[in-house]
Amino acid sequence: MIHSGPAITVQMLDDGIAEFKFDLQNESVNKFNRVTLDDLDAAVQAVKAHPEIRGLLVTSGKNFFIVGADITEFGGVFSHGRDYIQDWTMDIHRIFNAFEDLDIPKVVAINGFALGGGFEMCLANDYRVMSDKAQVGLPELTLGLIPGFGGIIRLARVIGVAKAIEWISSTRPRKAADALADGAVDEVAEHDKLRDTALAALKRAIAGEIDWQAKRALKLQAVEVPGGAADSYFEGVRAELAKTTNPEQYPASKAFLDVIEKSADMARDQAVAVEAEHFAGVAVTPQADALIGLFLADQVIKRAAKKNAAAAREVKKAAVLGAGIMGGGIAYQAATKGTAVIMKDIGQAQLDLGMNEAEKQLARQLQRGRISEDKKNATLKLIEPSLSYDGFNAVDIVIEAVTENIKVKEIVLKEAENALREDAILASNTSTISITELAKGLQRPANFVGMHFFNPVPVMPLVEVIRGEQSSDEAIATAVALALSMGKSPIVVQDCPGFLVNRVLFPYFGAFDRLIKDGACLIKIDQVMEDFGWPMGPAYLSDVIGLDTCVHASKVLADGFPDRMKTDYTGATEALFKTDRLGQKNGKGFYKYVADDSGRKRKTADDEVKDILAPHVDAAAPGSVDFTAEEIRDRLMLAMCNEVARCIDEKIVASPEEADMALIMGLGFPRFRGGALRYIDQIGLKEYVALCDRYAHLGKAYEAPQILREMAAKGERFFN
C-alpha cells in the first residue's frame, strides 16, 4: 500500500500502475471536504516518493465519482472574509496543481456524477474515461459561486472558450455522449466495462500510444479566444448572457467571464490565481450567502419530508375529484409517476377536457424526446375518467379539487367519504379554506388533510400538506408520501386561513392596494418589484392569478386576520373586479391582454384602469404621487416578511428553511435573496425593526412582530 488515508488509498497494481482511489470513510459519497483535501495533499506526496509508479488509475469507491465540495463547510471558511477565502482557494490550487504535475500519466474512470470540484479533479487528470451512465458538470453558479478548484481555467483550455462559457453558464450536467462530443472527456465506456477501458487507456499512455504530455501541456498554457479580438468577443458574450441572467442579481455570472478574459493569455499558475481572486470576491456576496442557504434549506425540507412520510400507508391507487385545470393537472402528474388514478367529474365535457389536457402534455413531452410513445400510452391508461364513484372502494387516497367554495367542497367531500373505505385518506386541494372547518362535516376527520397544489401542477414543485386539528399522523404521512411519489416537494404546515403561502402573499397584495390608494403608479410598482427580482410585479401577478380569485382569497384572509388584513376601503383589485375585469382569463385586469402574431397574449397598459381607480385614490389621480423605488419596495416587502415571521412564531411552519423554501417554490420569491427570513437577516434584525417602525403608521401589517423585536434585542438571526 502506497498510501492509506481517510479519503484516499493508493495501491500498486501490475506493470508499475497504481490505483488512486477516492473512498471517503463514513460517508455515502465522495466530496471535497477538509479531510479529503488534506488527504489528497498527502496522497500526492506519497506518489512522488515512489518512483516505481509509472501511471495512476484514478477511481472512486462509491457509486458516484465525487459530488463536489462539501458545502456545509463553506460557512466556516467564508465567515473569515475575502483574503482568507482567497488564501484557502490558492492552497487548494496548490494541491490540485501538484496532482496534475505528477510526471506520470493519470487516467480517471468517471463512474457516476462528477460535479463541481469532482469534475475539476477529472480535468486535472491527463485522460478522462467516462461511464455511459455518468454525468459531469460545473453547477457552481447555482450557488452564487464560480468554479474555484481550477475548473474555469482547465475547462476553457480543454474544450475551448466558447464551449466552456456555455457549460459553466448553463450549470447543466452533461451526459457522456455530449461530454465526449464537446471534448470534455476522451472516451466513453459501457458502465460495467469502465475500469477495464480506463486501465487499457492508461497502459496505452504509458506505452506512448496516447500523447498524454500534450494533453497536459494544453492546460498549462494560454488559451485562444474565438475571433482573436478578446475585447469585442467578451463584450458580445456578456450582452448575450445578460438577456437571461441579470449580473447585478447574480454577480457570479459576470465573474466567471472576467476570469476567462483576464487569464486567457496566462499560463496555468497565473491563471488560477485570477480564478481564486474572483472566487473569493463572489463568495462574500449576499447572493452567494442566499443561494448556498437555499441549497442547504433544500436538504432540510428533503429530510423533513422523509421524516414526515415515515408512517405513510401505501398508495396503490388514487382519485381526483374535479377534472379542471387543477384536478386534471394532479391526475396527470400522478399518472406520469406511475400511480393509477380515477379522475371524476360530474360532466363528460369536463372529463374530456381533462383527458385532452393530459394528452396534450404528454404529446409535448414526446415531441421533446423526453418520453417514448409507449410511455405516453401507458401513462394515459393510468388515468381512468369517471362520472360516478364506482371503484372508489379500491382507492387509497382521494384529492378533492373542485371550485374554491366551502359549501361546494363540503358536499363533495361528504359524498366522497361515503364511497371510500374507512381507512382511506381524504384530502382537499383548497388554497384558503380551513381544513379544520371542512372536517366538521366528515365522519372520519382523522383521515382528512389538506394538499394544496400550485398551478400549473406539472411545473410548480411545492405542495403544502395541511394538518387540521384532528388530522392523524398517518393521514399526513400518506399525503406527504404521495406528493413525494409525484416528484413534488411537500412541506407540512398547520391549519390557519391561507395556510402559509397565501397567508404571506396577501399582505403583500394588501400593501400594493394601499400604495395605489395613496397615488402610486401601478406600472412603476411592477417595475420596481421586478427589478427587486420578482418574476412579475403585484399587478401583473394579480392578473395571472385572476382578480376574482384574489378578491375571494383576500376576504378569507381579512376574516381570519382582521387586525392587519381587513380594510375600510375598496382596494384597487376589488374595484377592477367589480367592473368585470378578471385579469388574463378575460383579457383585462390591471393590464389588457392582446394576442400577438404568434397567438400569445401580451400585456399592455390600459388607460381605462385610471378612470376606474380614480374614485378609490386619495391623491389627485392614480399614479400622481411619485414614490421612490425604496419606498415601494419597503412597503411591499415589510408586509410580507412580517407575516412570515408571525408564521414562524406561531409554528405554522416548522423551520425558517421550510418557510423560505415555500416562498421560493410557491411564489417565485427571488432566489438570489434566499427567501423572506434570509432577507430580514441580510438587512439585519435591528435595522429591519427600525424600518418597520418607520412605516408603522400605515397599520399593523407594517409593525414589527414581537418575535423580531426580541431577536433584534438578543442579536439573533434566523440563519447562523
Side-chain angles (χ1 to χ4, degrees):
M1 184 70 75
I2 303 296
H3 173 81
S4 180
I8 298 168
T9 58
V10 184
Q11 186 170 7
M12 289 301 299
L13 303 177
D14 297 326
D15 302 323
I17 292 172
E19 181 171 8
F20 195 101
K21 181 187 289 186
F22 287 89
D23 197 358
L24 183 59
Q25 295 176 12
N26 303 316
E27 296 283 353
S28 61
V29 295
N30 289 321
K31 54 189 173 183
F32 276 118
N33 56 12
R34 190 68 258 174
V35 170
T36 302
L37 289 166
D38 288 344
D39 206 23
L40 177 60
D41 196 5
V44 170
Q45 298 309 313
V47 172
K48 282 184 178 180
H50 286 265
E52 71 273 20
I53 300 176
R54 302 171 62 206
L56 286 184
L57 176 67
V58 181
T59 65
S60 166
K62 312 290 189 186
N63 291 329
F64 299 150
F65 182 68
I66 303 173
V67 296
D70 186 346
I71 295 170
T72 63
E73 292 187 353
F74 283 178
V77 174
F78 293 178
S79 65
H80 291 291
R82 186 168 183 161
D83 290 345
Y84 182 94
I85 299 167
Q86 188 167 342
D87 290 343
W88 173 79
T89 311
M90 283 303 297
D91 189 52
I92 295 170
H93 283 309
R94 175 188 63 78
I95 298 169
F96 271 58
N97 290 352
F99 174 86
E100 185 169 50
D101 291 342
L102 289 170
D103 197 22
I104 51 176
K106 299 172 295 298
V107 174
V108 59
I110 308 169
N111 63 315
F113 281 106
L115 303 176
F119 184 47
E120 289 174 292
M121 169 47 61
C122 297
L123 291 168
N125 280 265
D126 305 312
Y127 196 86
R128 288 164 289 283
V129 182
M130 185 175 175
S131 160
D132 56 4
K133 294 183 179 179
Q135 294 186 44
V136 298
L138 297 173
E140 285 85 351
L141 263 64
T142 62
L143 299 175
L145 301 173
I146 62 173
F149 296 178
I152 298 175
I153 305 306
R154 291 186 176 94
L155 187 63
R157 284 151 178 77
V158 169
I159 68 174
V161 167
K163 287 180 182 176
I165 290 171
E166 202 281 321
W167 273 55
I168 297 169
S169 63
S170 74
T171 73
R172 178 173 54 85
R174 262 55 176 191
K175 293 183 179 179
D178 292 333
L180 180 66
D182 283 349
V185 298
D186 299 286
E187 286 188 57
V188 171
E190 293 179 22
H191 186 71
D192 58 357
K193 297 179 181 177
L194 174 66
R195 181 184 174 84
D196 291 343
T197 305
L199 190 57
L202 180 56
K203 290 178 179 179
R204 296 202 314 274
I206 293 171
E209 297 171 21
I210 293 175
D211 192 352
W212 60 272
Q213 292 99 333
K215 287 179 174 294
R216 178 190 299 178
L218 183 68
K219 296 181 288 177
L220 303 180
Q221 60 196 28
V223 65
E224 183 179 347
V225 175
D231 290 347
S232 60
Y233 174 76
F234 284 103
E235 183 180 349
V237 171
R238 285 190 180 86
E240 194 63 29
L241 289 182
K243 293 177 182 178
T244 55
T245 305
N246 184 335
E248 297 300 318
Q249 297 175 351
Y250 294 90
S253 67
K254 175 181 180 296
F256 92 88
L257 277 175
D258 291 344
V259 171
I260 295 177
E261 181 177 16
K262 291 179 180 180
S263 67
D265 61 354
M266 296 178 182
R268 182 201 64 189
D269 289 357
Q270 294 173 289
V272 295
V274 174
E275 186 181 278
E277 177 188 357
H278 284 74
F279 179 90
V282 295
V284 295
T285 61
Q287 291 90 340
D289 173 66
L291 292 166
I292 292 169
L294 284 184
F295 177 88
L296 297 174
D298 188 54
Q299 307 309 304
V300 170
I301 69 166
K302 283 182 169 65
R303 288 194 296 270
K306 185 177 179 180
K307 180 180 178 182
N308 286 325
R313 294 185 57 233
E314 183 181 5
V315 174
K316 295 180 179 178
K317 192 168 189 177
V320 175
L321 302 176
I325 293 174
M326 291 301 294
I330 294 167
Y332 162 81
Q333 187 66 25
T336 61
K337 301 300 181 180
T339 299
V341 57
I342 298 173
M343 182 171 64
K344 181 193 178 300
D345 211 309
I346 58 174
Q348 187 61 47
Q350 291 95 314
L351 290 176
D352 291 344
L353 189 64
M355 291 303 295
N356 289 340
E357 183 60 30
E359 190 159 5
K360 187 191 305 180
Q361 291 275 1
L362 289 165
R364 190 176 296 126
Q365 297 295 313
L366 178 64
Q367 187 177 15
R368 293 173 179 173
R370 295 177 181 173
I371 61 171
S372 65
E373 184 72 37
D374 287 345
K375 171 66 174 175
K376 174 191 168 185
N377 294 333
T379 301
L380 283 173
K381 286 181 181 178
L382 287 173
I383 305 175
E384 178 187 341
S386 177
L387 293 171
S388 72
Y389 286 102
D390 290 347
F392 270 60
N393 59 342
V395 166
D396 302 296
I397 186 169
V398 174
I399 302 170
E400 167 271 307
V402 300
T403 186
E404 189 73 356
N405 179 295
I406 189 169
K407 299 299 183 185
V408 174
K409 286 184 181 292
E410 285 174 341
I411 293 169
V412 171
L413 288 168
K414 285 180 183 178
E415 288 178 354
E417 187 182 43
N418 289 333
L420 293 173
R421 300 191 316 266
E422 288 195 0
D423 63 342
I425 306 302
L426 187 57
S428 176
N429 177 51
T430 176
S431 57
T432 56
I433 301 170
S434 167
I435 296 301
T436 300
E437 189 65 28
L438 286 172
K440 289 180 179 178
L442 298 176
Q443 302 171 47
R444 300 183 290 276
N447 290 355
F448 181 58
V449 300
M451 285 188 77
H452 178 206
F453 290 80
F454 290 76
N455 191 38
V457 175
V459 175
M460 300 295 282
L462 180 64
V463 176
E464 286 182 301
V465 176
I466 304 107
R467 183 189 291 275
E469 287 181 5
Q470 298 185 64
S471 300
S472 69
D473 289 343
E474 184 182 58
I476 293 293
T478 304
V480 169
L482 177 63
L484 286 171
S485 74
M486 293 170 68
K488 299 302 180 184
S489 297
I491 293 178
V492 176
V493 300
Q494 301 300 314
D495 190 24
C496 69
F499 317 127
L500 173 62
V501 172
N502 279 331
R503 174 174 165 177
V504 304
L505 173 62
F506 278 86
Y508 174 85
F509 280 149
F512 164 69
D513 271 350
R514 178 65 185 266
L515 273 167
I516 298 295
K517 181 177 185 292
D518 291 344
C521 171
L522 72 89
I523 294 175
K524 181 176 181 178
I525 294 171
D526 271 6
Q527 186 60 58
V528 166
M529 298 317 293
E530 287 167 16
D531 291 344
F532 180 79
W534 286 95
M536 58 188 76
Y540 188 18
L541 179 59
S542 297
D543 280 355
V544 170
I545 293 172
L547 302 193
D548 51 342
T549 302
C550 289
V551 169
H552 167 77
S554 66
K555 287 180 178 177
V556 172
L557 272 296
D559 289 341
F561 308 103
D563 61 333
R564 56 189 183 277
M565 298 193 201
K566 199 173 189 68
T567 64
D568 58 1
Y569 58 86
T570 299
T573 308
E574 186 175 3
L576 293 175
F577 167 65
K578 287 180 175 179
T579 63
D580 195 35
R581 301 179 77 94
L582 305 181
Q584 281 190 338
K585 64 181 69 176
N586 74 342
K588 53 183 182 178
F590 283 98
Y591 299 93
K592 61 183 176 182
Y593 297 85
V594 180
D596 61 15
D597 292 340
S598 67
R600 183 177 177 181
K601 288 187 176 180
R602 302 284 184 179
K603 72 178 176 70
T604 58
D606 189 344
D607 292 337
E608 290 182 9
V609 170
K610 285 187 177 182
D611 295 334
I612 296 168
L613 296 182
H616 306 283
V617 172
D618 292 342
S624 62
V625 179
D626 188 21
F627 287 92
T628 66
E630 182 182 37
E631 288 174 311
I632 291 170
R633 178 200 67 206
D634 289 345
R635 286 176 62 160
L636 287 166
M637 293 311 301
L638 289 178
M640 172 179 281
C641 293
N642 284 347
E643 201 62 35
V644 180
R646 291 187 183 96
C647 287
I648 289 291
D649 193 31
E650 296 170 19
K651 296 182 172 51
I652 298 300
V653 63
S655 67
E657 289 87 354
E658 289 167 284
D660 275 357
M661 284 299 292
L663 269 63
I664 297 288
M665 295 187 294
L667 293 180
F669 194 102
R671 289 189 61 85
F672 69 93
R673 298 192 185 276
L677 299 179
R678 192 170 293 276
Y679 177 64
I680 293 174
D681 271 0
Q682 290 190 343
I683 292 174
L685 268 293
K686 289 183 179 179
E687 292 79 2
Y688 181 86
V689 168
L691 196 60
C692 289
D693 290 342
R694 188 189 309 170
Y695 290 99
H697 64 281
L698 294 173
K700 195 170 182 62
Y702 302 89
E703 294 176 10
Q706 187 61 28
I707 182 178
L708 296 184
R709 294 191 180 279
E710 291 174 0
M711 290 176 68
K714 296 174 184 176
E716 295 177 343
R717 297 164 52 92
F718 286 103
F719 302 96
N720 294 312

